[in-house]
């Protein structure tokens, strides 16, 4: 009986629970899509003239107001870069101790590990624009709020990756230093640091690249940089100036990316 | 004799002067940039005071029924924007990523496609949302379109890179049977990249959910508009309610992401 049942058994790639899980996932996907499409509020009148509006937008943007660059864009652009750079430096300074606390091969205390990880997760789960809103409320509008927003958003990112790099460090050199009776400063500087240095620079450069993009929009909520210039130009419908700022931002982002790639090759 | 060999031996850790100069330059830059920002001790203390007042005004979070209904409506729209934008963006990324893969397509196809993908990625989602708000008016549609563009910039790039890393042997084997192009894609390419594609797609959905809470700041629908209004009206206790709801939503999405990854492992 049982032998013939074995012969006629139908072979399947997935277990029933796996198939059920997949079915639930696909069903959920289709369901979410259908419900969203049916209930989302789209005003059809707006959609009909979208091509016209788009054409109008580009027509208004067209003679790009290059002459405005030295007057109102250059300074804001430099401020954006300062916000991104200083914010990233601040974030790294604050993330280093948190990263050391979160790495379980350096801090051998589960409570401290989880405490540090909690800070890192909460820093990451709040968007940089929300951080900017909070810091505008605290420090008032301006570049300081933007810098703090970039810094607090970046702590989680830098700290998490730095802790992971530390956890991957080989214990050999550290044990050799300990056996030689090295003080703890030497253990960190000569045992751990050379091992995590490439990862550290890669993280710092990557985060700076992201910060440059993000700092450009912080001005929309009043946190300084070119976003503020874009916001005021838009409120005055000066689209040819908005176009200029968008082009300037595009150039900065591309230059930053090329620069980061070059520096990464050079350092690492 | 031994003294001479000891002297000839170089120190284990040579001072690296270029690196030291770079560190000094970085320190000088930090001080200079901080001075531009007008960070003074007095301002810092004032900031702490204001921060304390700000936080004290946030508590307790506002849970009036009408505010909660507004919150639920905003969150619902946020999720809708994220779902539609993710599905649209991922569906469009499939052909675009394929067109951008240099091992399957000739250069005259890949270069324009790659340029398009780079353009999609180079602006922040909120900036793209501004342009779409102008084009299609206020509301969820602008947010959907903005996040779709951002999704294409991210998913299509990673998808093209994943395709470029596949083993061409299987593709050649399918081609050798005389299969048409679509079958080469479905049987030679897709099985090799599907797992990674699911990973990109779930990551992008998570990222879209985070960003769809933000696009409302410029009027593109979702909870962001409600949040920004609460902020501008100094309605800080309601702001805290909204922030807590957003954080809960994102945690939920991370749980969902882990579940989906487990299914496709």
């Amino acid at each position: 009986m049982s032998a013939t049942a074995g012969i006629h058994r139908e072979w399947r790639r997935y277990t029933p629970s796996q198939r059920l899980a997949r079915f639930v996932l696909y069903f959920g996907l289709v369901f979410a899509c259908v419900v969203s499409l049916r209930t989302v509020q789209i005003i059809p009148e707006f959609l009909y003239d979208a091509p016209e509006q788009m054409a109008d937008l580009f027509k208004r943007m067209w003679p790009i107001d290059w002459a405005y660059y030295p007057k109102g864009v250059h300074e804001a652009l430099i401020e954006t870069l300062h916000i991104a750079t200083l914010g990233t430096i601040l974030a790294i300074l604050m993330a280093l101790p948190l990263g050391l606390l979160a790495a379980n091969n350096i801090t051998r205390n589960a409570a401290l590990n989880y405490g540090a990880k909690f800070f890192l997760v909460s820093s990451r789960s709040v968007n940089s624009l929300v951080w900017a809103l909070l810091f505008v409320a605290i420090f008032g509008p301006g570049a300081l709020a933007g810098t703090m927003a970039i810094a607090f958003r970046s702590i989680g990112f830098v700290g998490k990756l730095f802790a992971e790099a530390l956890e991957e460090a080989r214990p050999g050199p550290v044990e050799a230093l300990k056996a030689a009776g090295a003080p703890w400063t030497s253990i960190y500087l000569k045992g751990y640091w050379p091992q995590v240095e490439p990862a550290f620079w890669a993280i710092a450069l990557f985060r700076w690249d992201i910060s440059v993009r993000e700092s450009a929009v912080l001005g929309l909520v009043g946190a300084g940089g070119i976003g503020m210039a874009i916001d005021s130009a838009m409120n005055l419908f000066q689209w040819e100036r908005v176009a200029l700022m968008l082009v300037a931002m595009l150039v900065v982002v591309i230059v930053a990316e090329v620069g980061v790639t070059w520096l990464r090759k050079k350092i690492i | 004799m031994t003294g001479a060999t000891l002297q000839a031996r170089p120190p284990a850790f040579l001072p690296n002067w270029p690196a030291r100069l770079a560190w000094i330059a970085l320190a000088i830059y930090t001080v200079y940039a901080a001075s531009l920002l007008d960070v003074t001790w007095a301002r810092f203390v004032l900031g702490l005071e204001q921060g304390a007042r700000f936080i004290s005004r946030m508590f307790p979070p506002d849970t009036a029924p009408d505010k909660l209904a507004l919150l639920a409506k905003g969150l619902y729209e946020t999720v809708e924007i994220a779902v539609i934008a993710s599905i649209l963006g991922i569906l469009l990324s499939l052909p675009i990523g394929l067109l951008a893969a240099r091992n399957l397509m000739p250069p005259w196809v890949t270069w324009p496609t790659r340029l398009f993908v780079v353009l999609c990625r180079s602006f922040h989602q909120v900036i793209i949302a501004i342009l779409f708000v102008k084009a299609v008016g206020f509301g969820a549609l602008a947010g959907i379109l903005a996040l779709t563009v951002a999704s294409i910039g991210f998913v299509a790039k990673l998808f093209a890179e994943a395709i470029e890393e596949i083993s061409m042997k299987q593709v050649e084997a399918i081609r050798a049977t005389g299969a048409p192009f679509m079958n080469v894609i479905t049987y030679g390419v897709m099985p090799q990249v599907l797992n990674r594609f699911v990973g990109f797609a779930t990551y992008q959905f998570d990222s879209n959910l985070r960003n769809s809470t933000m696009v409302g700041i410029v009027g593109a629908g979702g909870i962001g508009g409600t949040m920004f209004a609460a902020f501008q009206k100094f309605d800080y206790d309601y702001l805290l309610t909204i922030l807590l709801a957003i954080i809960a939503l994102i945690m939920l999405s991370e749980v969902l992401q882990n579940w989906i990854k487990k299914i496709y492992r």
Side-chain angles (χ1 to χ4, degrees):
Chain A
M1 269 289 275
S2 60
T4 52
I7 288 167
H8 294 295
R9 192 164 144 203
E10 194 182 338
W11 290 93
R12 287 177 190 268
R13 189 171 167 193
Y14 300 110
T15 62
S17 65
Q18 277 176 326
R19 270 184 293 147
L20 182 71
R22 280 174 187 233
F23 174 75
V24 169
L25 176 66
Y26 295 137
F27 181 78
L29 222 91
V30 173
F31 181 76
C33 188
V34 169
V35 168
S36 302
L37 278 175
R38 285 181 71 102
T39 56
V40 74
Q41 283 174 342
I42 292 175
I43 303 164
E45 286 78 22
F46 282 179
L47 198 53
Y48 295 143
D49 70 342
E52 275 168 50
Q53 291 285 342
M54 211 62 167
D56 180 51
L57 178 67
F58 284 116
K59 214 164 65 194
R60 280 164 189 251
M61 276 183 169
W62 179 236
I64 295 178
D65 191 1
W66 299 108
Y68 188 64
Y69 180 80
K71 268 185 282 175
V73 181
H74 184 73
E75 229 168 275
L77 207 60
I78 297 296
E79 193 179 57
T80 300
L81 285 177
H82 281 318
I83 290 175
T85 315
L86 201 60
T88 312
I89 292 174
L90 259 178
I92 292 171
L93 287 182
M94 290 189 277
L96 286 181
L98 277 174
L100 287 171
L101 281 178
N104 59 14
N105 58 342
I106 291 183
T107 309
R108 298 194 180 281
N109 180 335
L112 279 177
N113 289 159
Y114 282 111
K117 275 187 185 151
F118 174 75
F119 273 110
L120 296 179
V121 168
S122 45
S123 148
R124 260 179 302 139
S125 61
V126 177
N127 196 299
S128 55
L129 273 171
V130 177
W131 278 119
L133 278 179
L134 298 182
F135 282 113
V136 165
I138 291 174
F139 292 117
L144 181 57
T147 310
M148 297 306 278
I150 290 286
F152 273 77
R153 174 66 180 76
S154 307
I155 290 173
F157 184 92
V158 176
K160 176 185 179 245
L161 292 178
F162 188 59
E164 280 171 5
L166 279 173
E167 282 174 359
E168 280 167 16
R170 287 180 302 122
V174 178
E175 274 167 21
L177 279 166
K178 270 186 193 156
W184 65 270
T185 45
S186 299
I187 292 176
Y188 282 113
L189 284 177
K190 308 295 184 195
Y192 284 111
W193 174 244
Q195 295 196 53
V196 297
E197 199 181 356
F200 172 79
W201 287 114
I203 297 163
L205 288 174
F206 184 36
R207 186 63 224 181
W208 181 74
D209 193 23
I210 300 173
S211 295
V212 169
R213 283 160 209 245
E214 285 193 344
S215 62
V217 295
L218 294 181
L220 293 174
V221 295
I226 194 155
M228 263 164 125
I230 288 187
D231 197 35
S232 56
M234 259 186 343
N235 288 342
L236 298 170
F237 300 108
Q238 292 164 331
W239 287 100
E240 59 282 351
R241 288 185 181 174
V242 175
L244 168 68
M245 289 165 202
L246 290 182
V247 170
M249 262 167 58
L250 188 67
V251 170
V252 165
V253 164
I254 290 173
V255 167
E257 196 164 329
V258 171
V260 163
T261 318
W262 176 79
L263 212 61
R264 189 201 292 265
K265 267 188 202 146
K266 196 104 179 163
I267 291 181
I268 302 164
Chain B
M1 213 27 203
T2 47
T5 47
L6 275 180
Q7 266 176 2
R9 191 170 148 194
F13 298 106
L14 276 172
N16 183 353
W17 276 106
R20 285 189 187 179
L21 284 179
W23 280 110
I24 292 170
L26 195 67
I28 292 173
Y29 168 79
T30 311
V31 174
Y32 164 73
S35 73
L36 286 185
L37 291 181
D38 174 34
V39 189
T40 57
W41 185 248
R43 198 168 170 199
F44 183 69
V45 173
L46 191 72
L48 283 188
E49 263 172 45
Q50 274 174 342
R53 204 179 319 144
F54 178 61
I55 289 171
S56 71
R57 281 182 60 180
M58 276 178 143
F59 285 97
D62 190 350
T63 50
D66 57 326
K67 292 280 178 71
L68 282 187
L70 197 64
L71 174 72
K73 201 172 146 242
L75 279 182
Y76 188 66
E77 196 174 50
T78 290
V79 176
E80 277 176 347
I81 291 174
V83 167
I84 300 176
S86 302
I87 287 176
L88 265 181
I90 290 162
L91 286 183
L92 287 172
S93 295
L94 275 169
I96 292 174
L98 213 58
L99 286 179
R102 277 176 291 202
N103 54 350
L104 295 177
M105 292 287 162
W108 60 269
V109 179
T110 56
W111 277 109
T113 323
R114 294 178 90 83
L115 193 69
F116 173 71
V117 173
V118 166
L119 261 182
C120 286
R121 207 181 50 220
S122 53
F123 285 117
H124 196 273
Q125 293 86 344
V126 176
I127 300 277
I128 305 173
I130 292 174
L131 297 181
F132 278 116
V133 167
K134 167 72 178 81
V136 298
F138 289 100
L141 184 63
I144 292 171
L145 292 174
L147 291 180
T148 307
V149 168
S151 307
I152 292 174
F154 187 79
V155 179
K157 174 184 181 262
L158 289 178
F159 190 47
E161 278 172 6
I163 294 178
E164 282 173 2
E165 283 165 17
I166 61 169
S167 136
M168 288 304 281
K169 287 178 183 167
Q170 301 175 33
V171 177
E172 272 164 33
I174 307 276
R175 269 192 193 142
T177 62
F181 182 74
M182 276 321 287
N183 287 12
V184 174
I185 300 298
T186 41
Y187 295 104
V189 178
M190 283 316 278
Q192 296 192 53
V193 294
L194 189 68
N195 265 9
R196 296 188 63 189
F197 187 66
V198 170
F200 302 149
T202 47
Y203 176 82
Q204 188 57 37
F205 175 69
D206 185 59
S207 157
N208 278 346
L209 198 62
R210 284 161 195 255
N211 287 317
S212 68
T213 59
M214 289 305 110
V215 290
I217 289 179
V218 295
I223 189 75
T226 322
M227 187 181 73
F228 198 42
F231 176 76
Q232 284 182 325
K233 286 188 285 187
F234 306 106
D235 203 353
Y236 292 143
D237 45 355
Y238 186 39
L239 184 67
L240 182 63
T241 319
I242 297 174
L243 285 181
L244 291 177
I246 289 176
I247 291 173
L249 186 72
I250 286 166
M251 300 260 165
L252 199 72
S253 131
E254 263 175 25
V255 172
L256 196 73
Q257 207 183 346
N258 285 337
W259 181 69
I260 293 177
K261 268 191 196 148
K262 220 185 268 170
I263 289 180
Y264 279 96
R265 199 167 44 198

